[in-house]
PDB file of all heavy atoms in Angstrom:
ATOM      1  N   GLN A 534      50.728  60.629 -16.694  1.00 50.00           N
ATOM      2  CA  GLN A 534      50.410  59.259 -17.124  1.00 50.00           C
ATOM      3  C   GLN A 534      49.454  58.571 -16.144  1.00 50.00           C
ATOM      4  O   GLN A 534      48.525  57.874 -16.533  1.00 50.00           O
ATOM      5  CB  GLN A 534      51.701  58.438 -17.268  1.00 50.00           C
ATOM      6  CG  GLN A 534      52.557  58.892 -18.438  1.00 50.00           C
ATOM      7  CD  GLN A 534      53.888  58.158 -18.493  1.00 50.00           C
ATOM      8  OE1 GLN A 534      54.269  57.511 -17.511  1.00 50.00           O
ATOM      9  NE2 GLN A 534      54.597  58.250 -19.625  1.00 50.00           N
ATOM     10  N   ALA A 535      49.696  58.806 -14.847  1.00 48.00           N
ATOM     11  CA  ALA A 535      48.844  58.198 -13.821  1.00 48.00           C
ATOM     12  C   ALA A 535      47.428  58.752 -13.907  1.00 48.00           C
ATOM     13  O   ALA A 535      46.437  58.044 -13.801  1.00 48.00           O
ATOM     14  CB  ALA A 535      49.434  58.444 -12.420  1.00 48.00           C
ATOM     15  N   PHE A 536      47.372  60.100 -14.113  1.00 45.00           N
ATOM     16  CA  PHE A 536      46.072  60.738 -14.228  1.00 45.00           C
ATOM     17  C   PHE A 536      45.316  60.226 -15.465  1.00 45.00           C
ATOM     18  O   PHE A 536      44.140  59.937 -15.438  1.00 45.00           O
ATOM     19  CB  PHE A 536      46.258  62.268 -14.299  1.00 45.00           C
ATOM     20  CG  PHE A 536      44.944  63.000 -14.494  1.00 45.00           C
ATOM     21  CD1 PHE A 536      44.055  63.151 -13.430  1.00 45.00           C
ATOM     22  CD2 PHE A 536      44.600  63.511 -15.733  1.00 45.00           C
ATOM     23  CE1 PHE A 536      42.866  63.821 -13.617  1.00 45.00           C
ATOM     24  CE2 PHE A 536      43.416  64.181 -15.919  1.00 45.00           C
ATOM     25  CZ  PHE A 536      42.547  64.340 -14.858  1.00 45.00           C
ATOM     26  N   GLY A 537      46.091  60.067 -16.560  1.00 48.00           N
ATOM     27  CA  GLY A 537      45.486  59.548 -17.790  1.00 48.00           C
ATOM     28  C   GLY A 537      44.965  58.135 -17.615  1.00 48.00           C
ATOM     29  O   GLY A 537      43.898  57.767 -18.117  1.00 48.00           O
ATOM     30  N   ALA A 538      45.744  57.354 -16.907  1.00 46.00           N
ATOM     31  CA  ALA A 538      45.313  55.979 -16.642  1.00 46.00           C
ATOM     32  C   ALA A 538      44.048  55.967 -15.802  1.00 46.00           C
ATOM     33  O   ALA A 538      43.147  55.145 -16.010  1.00 46.00           O
ATOM     34  CB  ALA A 538      46.433  55.202 -15.940  1.00 46.00           C
ATOM     35  N   SER A 539      43.967  56.888 -14.843  1.00 47.00           N
ATOM     36  CA  SER A 539      42.777  56.975 -13.998  1.00 47.00           C
ATOM     37  C   SER A 539      41.557  57.370 -14.814  1.00 47.00           C
ATOM     38  O   SER A 539      40.460  56.815 -14.662  1.00 47.00           O
ATOM     39  CB  SER A 539      42.994  57.998 -12.873  1.00 47.00           C
ATOM     40  OG  SER A 539      44.077  57.607 -12.060  1.00 47.00           O
ATOM     41  N   VAL A 540      41.756  58.327 -15.714  1.00 41.00           N
ATOM     42  CA  VAL A 540      40.666  58.753 -16.580  1.00 41.00           C
ATOM     43  C   VAL A 540      40.231  57.610 -17.479  1.00 41.00           C
ATOM     44  O   VAL A 540      39.044  57.357 -17.680  1.00 41.00           O
ATOM     45  CB  VAL A 540      41.089  59.973 -17.428  1.00 41.00           C
ATOM     46  CG1 VAL A 540      40.014  60.281 -18.466  1.00 41.00           C
ATOM     47  CG2 VAL A 540      41.340  61.176 -16.525  1.00 41.00           C
ATOM     48  N   LEU A 541      41.236  56.893 -18.041  1.00 43.00           N
ATOM     49  CA  LEU A 541      40.933  55.751 -18.886  1.00 43.00           C
ATOM     50  C   LEU A 541      40.131  54.700 -18.121  1.00 43.00           C
ATOM     51  O   LEU A 541      39.193  54.107 -18.626  1.00 43.00           O
ATOM     52  CB  LEU A 541      42.232  55.146 -19.417  1.00 43.00           C
ATOM     53  CG  LEU A 541      42.069  53.939 -20.353  1.00 43.00           C
ATOM     54  CD1 LEU A 541      41.332  54.362 -21.633  1.00 43.00           C
ATOM     55  CD2 LEU A 541      43.452  53.369 -20.689  1.00 43.00           C
ATOM     56  N   MET A 542      40.547  54.467 -16.859  1.00 45.00           N
ATOM     57  CA  MET A 542      39.850  53.489 -16.013  1.00 45.00           C
ATOM     58  C   MET A 542      38.401  53.910 -15.796  1.00 45.00           C
ATOM     59  O   MET A 542      37.484  53.113 -15.885  1.00 45.00           O
ATOM     60  CB  MET A 542      40.577  53.364 -14.669  1.00 45.00           C
ATOM     61  CG  MET A 542      39.875  52.447 -13.663  1.00 45.00           C
ATOM     62  SD  MET A 542      40.014  50.704 -14.121  1.00 45.00           S
ATOM     63  CE  MET A 542      41.762  50.451 -13.691  1.00 45.00           C
ATOM     64  N   ALA A 543      38.199  55.201 -15.507  1.00 44.00           N
ATOM     65  CA  ALA A 543      36.865  55.703 -15.213  1.00 44.00           C
ATOM     66  C   ALA A 543      35.975  55.683 -16.435  1.00 44.00           C
ATOM     67  O   ALA A 543      34.790  55.387 -16.358  1.00 44.00           O
ATOM     68  CB  ALA A 543      36.958  57.138 -14.641  1.00 44.00           C
ATOM     69  N   VAL A 544      36.563  56.002 -17.597  1.00 42.00           N
ATOM     70  CA  VAL A 544      35.757  56.162 -18.806  1.00 42.00           C
ATOM     71  C   VAL A 544      35.464  54.834 -19.482  1.00 42.00           C
ATOM     72  O   VAL A 544      34.372  54.593 -19.959  1.00 42.00           O
ATOM     73  CB  VAL A 544      36.459  57.113 -19.792  1.00 42.00           C
ATOM     74  CG1 VAL A 544      35.692  57.181 -21.108  1.00 42.00           C
ATOM     75  CG2 VAL A 544      36.584  58.489 -19.172  1.00 42.00           C
ATOM     76  N   PHE A 545      36.453  53.937 -19.521  1.00 41.00           N
ATOM     77  CA  PHE A 545      36.294  52.707 -20.305  1.00 41.00           C
ATOM     78  C   PHE A 545      36.230  51.431 -19.463  1.00 41.00           C
ATOM     79  O   PHE A 545      35.369  50.597 -19.644  1.00 41.00           O
ATOM     80  CB  PHE A 545      37.457  52.567 -21.313  1.00 41.00           C
ATOM     81  CG  PHE A 545      37.457  53.687 -22.334  1.00 41.00           C
ATOM     82  CD1 PHE A 545      38.370  54.734 -22.246  1.00 41.00           C
ATOM     83  CD2 PHE A 545      36.536  53.675 -23.372  1.00 41.00           C
ATOM     84  CE1 PHE A 545      38.355  55.744 -23.172  1.00 41.00           C
ATOM     85  CE2 PHE A 545      36.529  54.686 -24.306  1.00 41.00           C
ATOM     86  CZ  PHE A 545      37.445  55.735 -24.216  1.00 41.00           C
ATOM     87  N   VAL A 546      37.162  51.283 -18.539  1.00 42.00           N
ATOM     88  CA  VAL A 546      37.315  49.999 -17.846  1.00 42.00           C
ATOM     89  C   VAL A 546      36.169  49.740 -16.885  1.00 42.00           C
ATOM     90  O   VAL A 546      35.559  48.673 -16.862  1.00 42.00           O
ATOM     91  CB  VAL A 546      38.676  49.945 -17.110  1.00 42.00           C
ATOM     92  CG1 VAL A 546      38.780  48.630 -16.332  1.00 42.00           C
ATOM     93  CG2 VAL A 546      39.798  50.105 -18.104  1.00 42.00           C
ATOM     94  N   ILE A 547      35.816  50.749 -16.052  1.00 41.00           N
ATOM     95  CA  ILE A 547      34.772  50.555 -15.041  1.00 41.00           C
ATOM     96  C   ILE A 547      33.419  50.277 -15.675  1.00 41.00           C
ATOM     97  O   ILE A 547      32.718  49.336 -15.278  1.00 41.00           O
ATOM     98  CB  ILE A 547      34.720  51.764 -14.085  1.00 41.00           C
ATOM     99  CG1 ILE A 547      35.999  51.810 -13.248  1.00 41.00           C
ATOM    100  CG2 ILE A 547      33.485  51.682 -13.191  1.00 41.00           C
ATOM    101  CD1 ILE A 547      36.093  52.991 -12.316  1.00 41.00           C
ATOM    102  N   PRO A 548      33.008  51.090 -16.706  1.00 42.00           N
ATOM    103  CA  PRO A 548      31.737  50.742 -17.359  1.00 42.00           C
ATOM    104  C   PRO A 548      31.726  49.350 -17.973  1.00 42.00           C
ATOM    105  O   PRO A 548      30.724  48.646 -17.919  1.00 42.00           O
ATOM    106  CB  PRO A 548      31.592  51.824 -18.432  1.00 42.00           C
ATOM    107  CG  PRO A 548      32.373  52.977 -17.904  1.00 42.00           C
ATOM    108  CD  PRO A 548      33.541  52.377 -17.203  1.00 42.00           C
ATOM    109  N   PHE A 549      32.887  48.976 -18.583  1.00 39.00           N
ATOM    110  CA  PHE A 549      32.965  47.634 -19.167  1.00 39.00           C
ATOM    111  C   PHE A 549      32.813  46.571 -18.092  1.00 39.00           C
ATOM    112  O   PHE A 549      32.102  45.596 -18.239  1.00 39.00           O
ATOM    113  CB  PHE A 549      34.303  47.479 -19.889  1.00 39.00           C
ATOM    114  CG  PHE A 549      34.500  46.086 -20.439  1.00 39.00           C
ATOM    115  CD1 PHE A 549      33.839  45.673 -21.581  1.00 39.00           C
ATOM    116  CD2 PHE A 549      35.338  45.187 -19.784  1.00 39.00           C
ATOM    117  CE1 PHE A 549      34.016  44.393 -22.069  1.00 39.00           C
ATOM    118  CE2 PHE A 549      35.507  43.919 -20.276  1.00 39.00           C
ATOM    119  CZ  PHE A 549      34.860  43.521 -21.420  1.00 39.00           C
ATOM    120  N   PHE A 550      33.480  46.780 -16.960  1.00 39.00           N
ATOM    121  CA  PHE A 550      33.412  45.849 -15.838  1.00 39.00           C
ATOM    122  C   PHE A 550      31.969  45.737 -15.328  1.00 39.00           C
ATOM    123  O   PHE A 550      31.456  44.647 -15.081  1.00 39.00           O
ATOM    124  CB  PHE A 550      34.341  46.323 -14.717  1.00 39.00           C
ATOM    125  CG  PHE A 550      34.254  45.471 -13.472  1.00 39.00           C
ATOM    126  CD1 PHE A 550      34.992  44.313 -13.336  1.00 39.00           C
ATOM    127  CD2 PHE A 550      33.395  45.838 -12.422  1.00 39.00           C
ATOM    128  CE1 PHE A 550      34.907  43.540 -12.204  1.00 39.00           C
ATOM    129  CE2 PHE A 550      33.321  45.061 -11.293  1.00 39.00           C
ATOM    130  CZ  PHE A 550      34.066  43.913 -11.167  1.00 39.00           C
ATOM    131  N   SER A 551      31.328  46.887 -15.231  1.00 41.00           N
ATOM    132  CA  SER A 551      29.952  46.900 -14.752  1.00 41.00           C
ATOM    133  C   SER A 551      29.036  46.175 -15.719  1.00 41.00           C
ATOM    134  O   SER A 551      28.147  45.422 -15.333  1.00 41.00           O
ATOM    135  CB  SER A 551      29.470  48.345 -14.560  1.00 41.00           C
ATOM    136  OG  SER A 551      30.289  49.013 -13.629  1.00 41.00           O
TER     137      SER A 551
END
Side-chain angles (χ1 to χ4, degrees):
Q534 291 175 346
F536 177 76
S539 299
V540 172
L541 181 64
M542 176 72 74
V544 175
F545 296 104
V546 177
I547 292 177
F549 176 76
F550 176 85
S551 301

